Amino acid sequence: MSHVERGTFTKGVYAAASEIGASHIAQGMPCQDACKTGEGRGWFPYTIVAVADGHGDQRHDLSDIGAATAVEVAVRELSNSWHHYKLYRKSFHDFFCYDAGRRIVRAWRQAITHCAETAGVTARPGRSVYERYGTTVQVAMWANGYVLMAKVGDGEMRFSSDGISLQNPFVAPSDLDSQTTHSLAMKDASRVWQTAVYPEPAPGGYVFVSTDGLSNSFPTDQDYNAYVQQLYNVVETHGLEAVSRSWPSWFSSYTHAGSGDDITAGMICFGLGEDERGKQHDSART
Amino acid sequence: MIQQGHEVVSAISGEKITVGRKLGEGGQGRVFTGRRPDGTNVAVKWYNDVQATPDQKRGLLHLLKHGRPSGAAGARFVWPIDLVEHQADPCFGYVMDVIDMKRFAELGEVWAGIKPAPSFRAMARISAKAAESYRKLHLDGFCYRDISSGNLLFDPTAGDVLICDNDNVGINGQSTAQVLGTMEYMAPEIVRGEAVPGTKTDLHSLAVLLFQLWIWHHPFHGRMEYDIRSWDLPAKKRVYGETPVFIFDEDDHRNELPDDPEYDTAKLRWSVCPKPLKRMFRRVFIEGVERPEARPMEGEWQKLFRQLEDSVVTCPSDRAENIWDGESSEVVCWHCRQTFPLPPKLIFKQGSSLMLDSTAKLRYRHVQAVDEASGGDQTAGEIVQNPKKPDIWGLKNLTDVSWRMQKQDGTVREVPPGQAATLSHGMNLTFNDGATAYVTS
Ligand SMILES: Nc1ncnc2c1ncn2[C@@H]1O[C@H](COP(=O)(O)OP(=O)(O)OP(=O)(O)O)[C@@H](O)[C@H]1O
Ligand SMILES: [Zn+2]
């Protein structure tokens, strides 16, 4: 079971893909990851890539729906608010940093409440119904000269301003609470919405997002970083369209060889075209 | 764009600074490490082209000319030290001190569980120091304009404070509308377009920030915000500017907190918030939104938070920190809900008091006139237990001047530096500068 979305925007290309984990196939379970992209054209274009990782396990037995709802809601809320704030850059950034977490968490809960009521799903004793749908969410958005990134819970994001350097905007919680996975189902979810805002990178720059099914396939952070950089080199040569078409089969081989978990990744690349336009950008860079 | 290895030149000192690795990046530009010719490390903020305007440069030069505000209160500002330029780049930047990002936290990092949450005592210290520093800034004729949680860094354990992003600091009353700040921190009269940023409006922003530190919530995010479907600019204007209603207003329930688990943390934290602080929040967010003159001044905040720090009492059953409200004769522990009696307290001549809890610290501000350079925050005395008789407590003199104690029966004794005065009901203490206090249970 795989899912791929991709598209182009005025500054480049974007894509996202999910692939079911080997262990989930073995257990006859659904993919508990989800991804969704969104874009706006015209005078005020924007691009959004959202990924979510349902917690899985028995306490979160409906987290596949939770994750699908999370990316749906995140893309919708950000697109709508972009339309409200697009004329004022700072207002949109403030919305993204100070309000979007709260609004997305709330919209997710409303959608889940509706979903649970329709399906006759009830909470476990002493627990909230949201817990059964528990999921993370991560978003990367390009709009009006900036890249905005945010997340609730686990998962990795990387930003490259030039196609060579790589930074992690969200350094993992040191030793503190490293056991607790943050989740949209937590009552304090809107407070754990972490954000980072960067100026739009030069052609050659990119944003990479993945659920931890991918990062856990690598022994160390350095290995994961090296993978992301290598992946970008392949994208530069073959174009994101071709690469993202291969993602499901690549991810499938990683999950069979490694974590066994579902794998989802998304990418926004600046200065690249539909296919092998990487070369074009190479010449633009020199 | 400058990068690692480049050399930038300080406009005022003429020093060449070698650019090192990138420390971070924000909406306005990038921050690098830098090395001065004498080998010391600095941080270099380099603006991106949208931000590198002549106005920004003028503002920076003004801040440089004035220099960092003086004393302990001023030292908390991560003030621009020099303007820097590079011959091949039309943009510019400034030099500042390097911040220890491991030690200092933003409130958002605490909320996200990345950094530890400060204790009551640490929150009181952070709040008092923030208020003291903004007071100093205002006295120097500046206004901050963009007070927000992202600009206040604190050490969650020790309660120390740093105020960053000072490049947007403006001259009081002369601020252009360009730097309006973040709407959720903005005074209602600015949101309504009736005022420009200044000291009075900073006082509102400071109060919002303090409220967030203590309650982990926004003072106007209640029913009104909850019921708004489309959180757009007109909606924000309504909630922050046109009809700002405090969520804990006991007479006006329009904006009380909805019955939703989202609000549990705010409700819990408000329920354990010390009464005098609740009164202050009510004043600033109820009277203060109508009449900016009614807003508590920084000095009032500072006095309140110092008193709160001095009112910390530890629960004997679980060691949880509580704050005595200044009224009750016993304390109900917020953590285990058990009631425990108050320890003795030291009452100072000016009326303030220090709970003689085992964790209490007597500070220089208690025992002598505060000098600007130090701020009076260093420890002047601490509570010690008699090793042979654990139920006897003493106040150890950590200053370098002798104190004088007079017991209730009239006997007088010296308390030389390094020694402790055994605490007994009714005793009088005379400190360094002749400041006096007595012990009462
Ligand atoms: N003086 C400093 N010492 C060490 N690191 C710093 C210093 N100043 C900034 N940084 C690092 O650089 C990052 C970017 O700082 P900057 O002030 O440019 O942006 P910001 O505060 O994140 O965003 P914005 O400027 O849009 O408010 C910070 O998050 C911090 O990690
Ligand atoms: Zn207790």
Side-chain angles (χ1 to χ4, degrees):
Chain A
M1 221 194 72
S2 38
H3 176 78
V4 186
E5 295 192 8
R6 70 174 77 84
T8 58
F9 67 110
T10 47
K11 296 289 171 91
V13 284
Y14 62 87
S18 286
E19 179 61 32
I20 186 168
S23 67
H24 289 162
I25 297 177
Q27 294 159 26
M29 299 212 328
C31 176
Q32 284 146 349
D33 273 7
C35 63
K36 188 172 173 67
T37 59
E39 66 161 86
R41 290 171 183 269
W43 283 101
F44 298 98
Y46 65 88
T47 300
I48 305 170
V49 169
V51 309
D53 180 359
H55 304 328
D57 82 42
Q58 286 166 0
R59 273 195 304 151
H60 314 286
D61 56 331
L62 301 168
S63 61
D64 54 321
I65 302 171
T69 309
V71 291
E72 188 75 38
V73 162
V75 171
R76 187 188 70 213
E77 288 293 313
L78 290 174
S79 307
N80 289 346
S81 18
W82 171 244
H83 290 297
H84 296 317
Y85 294 104
K86 63 194 172 197
L87 293 177
Y88 311 94
R89 175 173 60 76
K90 181 162 189 313
S91 317
F92 183 69
H93 291 186
D94 287 347
F95 171 86
F96 190 87
C97 296
Y98 295 107
D99 301 305
R102 188 175 74 252
R103 304 300 296 192
I104 288 173
V105 169
R106 218 179 268 162
W108 181 80
R109 290 199 187 151
Q110 275 163 7
I112 293 298
T113 305
H114 177 76
C115 187
E117 277 168 11
T118 320
V121 172
T122 53
R124 302 245 161 73
R127 300 270 163 191
S128 77
V129 73
Y130 307 125
E131 191 176 283
R132 298 187 62 177
Y133 295 85
T135 179
T136 68
V137 73
Q138 301 184 79
V139 293
M141 178 169 185
W142 164 82
N144 192 14
Y146 284 84
V147 168
L148 305 103
M149 285 173 269
K151 66 178 207 159
V152 171
D154 291 343
E156 295 292 330
M157 297 181 105
R158 294 292 183 274
F159 175 77
S160 174
S161 54
D162 51 14
I164 300 155
S165 67
L166 200 61
Q167 52 188 316
N168 178 359
F170 307 109
V171 190
S174 45
D175 36 338
L176 198 88
D177 277 359
S178 50
Q179 300 308 314
T180 51
T181 303
H182 289 320
S183 164
L184 286 182
M186 293 171 18
K187 65 183 180 200
D188 284 321
S190 62
R191 250 177 240 110
V192 306
W193 172 258
Q194 284 181 268
T195 57
V197 176
Y198 294 126
E200 174 187 310
Y206 62 93
V207 190
F208 187 76
V209 200
S210 85
T211 58
D212 58 11
L214 182 62
S215 49
N216 289 344
S217 306
F218 299 93
T220 68
D221 232 28
Q222 283 78 4
D223 295 313
Y224 175 76
N225 288 343
Y227 171 80
V228 174
Q229 279 165 320
Q230 245 170 39
L231 178 71
Y232 181 70
N233 292 340
V234 181
V235 169
E236 250 185 334
T237 320
H238 299 283
L240 185 61
E241 157 148 51
V243 169
S244 61
R245 224 179 303 123
S246 309
W247 271 351
S249 65
W250 295 357
F251 294 169
S252 171
S253 69
Y254 307 153
T255 172
H256 279 91
S259 65
D261 203 357
D262 306 327
I263 293 182
T264 298
M267 202 165 192
I268 304 178
C269 299
F270 293 81
L272 292 186
E274 267 276 74
D275 29 53
E276 282 96 320
R277 298 247 307 271
K279 296 195 185 65
Q280 231 179 53
H281 123 70
D282 262 355
S283 56
R285 213 168 38 168
T286 46
Chain B
M1 201 34 127
I2 63 158
Q3 47 182 271
Q4 184 155 6
H6 281 176
E7 238 176 26
V8 291
V9 182
S10 304
I12 295 171
S13 71
E15 250 175 19
K16 287 201 173 83
I17 294 174
T18 314
V19 176
R21 80 192 158 83
K22 187 157 81 180
L23 285 168
E25 187 156 5
Q28 305 193 328
R30 295 173 181 185
V31 180
F32 299 86
T33 59
R35 189 175 282 271
R36 287 171 137 167
D38 65 3
T40 52
N41 286 322
V42 288
V44 177
K45 174 153 182 172
W46 196 257
Y47 292 110
N48 51 38
D49 26 346
V50 193
Q51 212 65 40
T53 60
D55 252 5
Q56 186 78 49
K57 198 179 234 176
R58 247 194 311 277
L60 266 177
L61 287 170
H62 182 78
L63 298 180
L64 290 171
K65 195 161 149 229
H66 179 277
R68 186 203 306 261
S70 58
R76 297 186 193 113
F77 290 96
V78 186
W79 204 261
I81 299 171
D82 208 333
L83 187 85
V84 284
E85 291 165 317
H86 184 257
Q87 90 273 10
D89 191 326
C91 295
F92 56 92
Y94 68 88
V95 182
M96 63 185 142
D97 289 334
V98 181
I99 301 166
D100 180 353
M101 289 294 181
K102 283 215 165 62
R103 178 175 162 220
F104 286 92
E106 269 182 38
L107 187 55
E109 295 178 300
V110 171
W111 286 355
I114 296 170
K115 301 263 171 83
S119 64
F120 273 132
R121 183 192 298 279
M123 284 196 294
R125 289 174 62 72
I126 293 161
S127 308
K129 288 175 184 210
E132 183 185 34
S133 290
Y134 286 115
R135 174 163 185 270
K136 176 68 186 153
L137 186 78
H138 292 150
L139 284 174
D140 280 11
F142 292 110
C143 63
Y144 194 87
R145 301 193 281 197
D146 194 11
I147 296 181
S148 76
S149 64
N151 299 335
L152 180 82
L153 298 178
F154 53 84
D155 175 336
T157 317
D160 293 330
V161 163
L162 289 179
I163 297 166
C164 47
D165 281 345
N166 295 295
D167 44 337
N168 290 330
V169 165
I171 303 165
N172 188 24
Q174 290 185 26
S175 307
T176 54
Q178 266 179 1
V179 187
L180 276 182
T182 307
M183 214 195 280
E184 67 178 308
Y185 295 92
M186 248 184 236
E189 63 273 23
I190 304 186
V191 176
R192 293 193 301 265
E194 296 162 5
V196 292
T199 306
K200 279 275 173 302
T201 63
D202 269 2
L203 288 176
H204 175 87
S205 313
L206 173 64
V208 174
L209 179 55
L210 293 170
F211 188 83
Q212 290 187 319
L213 175 68
W214 285 80
I215 311 299
W216 290 22
H217 200 80
H218 191 282
F220 302 143
H221 284 182
R223 166 70 54 198
M224 290 174 161
E225 187 267 340
Y226 190 73
D227 285 344
I228 291 171
R229 288 198 67 92
S230 173
W231 189 238
D232 51 14
L233 279 172
K236 283 192 169 191
K237 281 201 173 121
R238 231 166 27 246
V239 168
Y240 301 129
E242 287 150 16
T243 42
V245 179
F246 186 40
I247 52 176
F248 296 116
D249 188 332
E250 286 169 329
D251 303 316
D252 183 343
H253 297 272
R254 280 180 296 167
N255 202 18
E256 61 188 6
L257 294 183
D259 184 17
D260 183 306
E262 181 182 335
Y263 299 97
D264 287 359
T265 300
K267 286 173 187 167
L268 177 77
R269 293 186 70 95
W270 179 255
S271 74
V272 301
C273 179
K275 276 186 214 156
L277 181 53
K278 283 185 177 174
R279 280 197 289 272
M280 201 82 134
F281 282 139
R282 288 211 173 89
R283 189 172 126 205
V284 64
F285 297 126
I286 299 172
E287 284 169 62
V289 295
E290 297 291 333
R291 291 188 306 117
E293 325 74 81
R295 286 176 192 147
M297 304 283 285
E298 315 87 334
E300 271 180 90
W301 284 114
Q302 189 188 347
K303 187 163 165 233
L304 168 71
F305 287 119
R306 281 183 167 173
Q307 185 57 64
L308 293 181
E309 179 191 347
D310 293 344
S311 305
V312 168
V313 285
T314 318
C315 169
S317 339
D318 59 3
R319 312 298 305 157
E321 259 186 20
N322 285 264
I323 292 189
W324 177 56
D325 61 11
E327 296 162 18
S328 320
S329 58
E330 49 191 18
V331 177
V332 181
C333 173
W334 67 270
H335 189 244
C336 66
R337 312 303 305 168
Q338 290 189 46
T339 303
F340 63 92
L342 292 172
K345 43 186 174 297
L346 197 57
I347 310 276
F348 296 91
K349 210 165 65 191
Q350 336 80 304
S352 62
S353 58
L354 173 67
M355 296 309 279
L356 295 169
D357 184 80
S358 60
T359 64
K361 294 270 185 283
L362 186 76
R363 299 195 183 270
Y364 271 88
R365 63 180 157 84
H366 292 117
V367 300
Q368 62 183 42
V370 172
D371 69 306
E372 196 200 36
S374 75
D377 191 51
Q378 309 93 311
T379 313
E382 64 187 10
I383 303 294
V384 288
Q385 208 169 4
N386 186 315
K388 296 201 190 85
K389 297 181 195 147
D391 52 338
I392 296 183
W393 295 85
L395 180 61
K396 185 172 173 184
N397 182 353
L398 298 178
T399 70
D400 48 16
V401 185
S402 282
W403 298 342
R404 205 174 67 107
M405 66 178 257
Q406 180 174 29
K407 291 215 276 200
Q408 209 170 19
D409 64 9
T411 44
V412 175
R413 194 169 82 77
E414 273 293 273
V415 187
Q419 295 209 11
T422 303
L423 295 166
S424 63
H425 178 75
M427 76 185 271
N428 269 285
L429 279 156
T430 306
F431 297 113
N432 305 31
D433 263 4
T436 58
Y438 65 94
V439 176
T440 177
S441 40

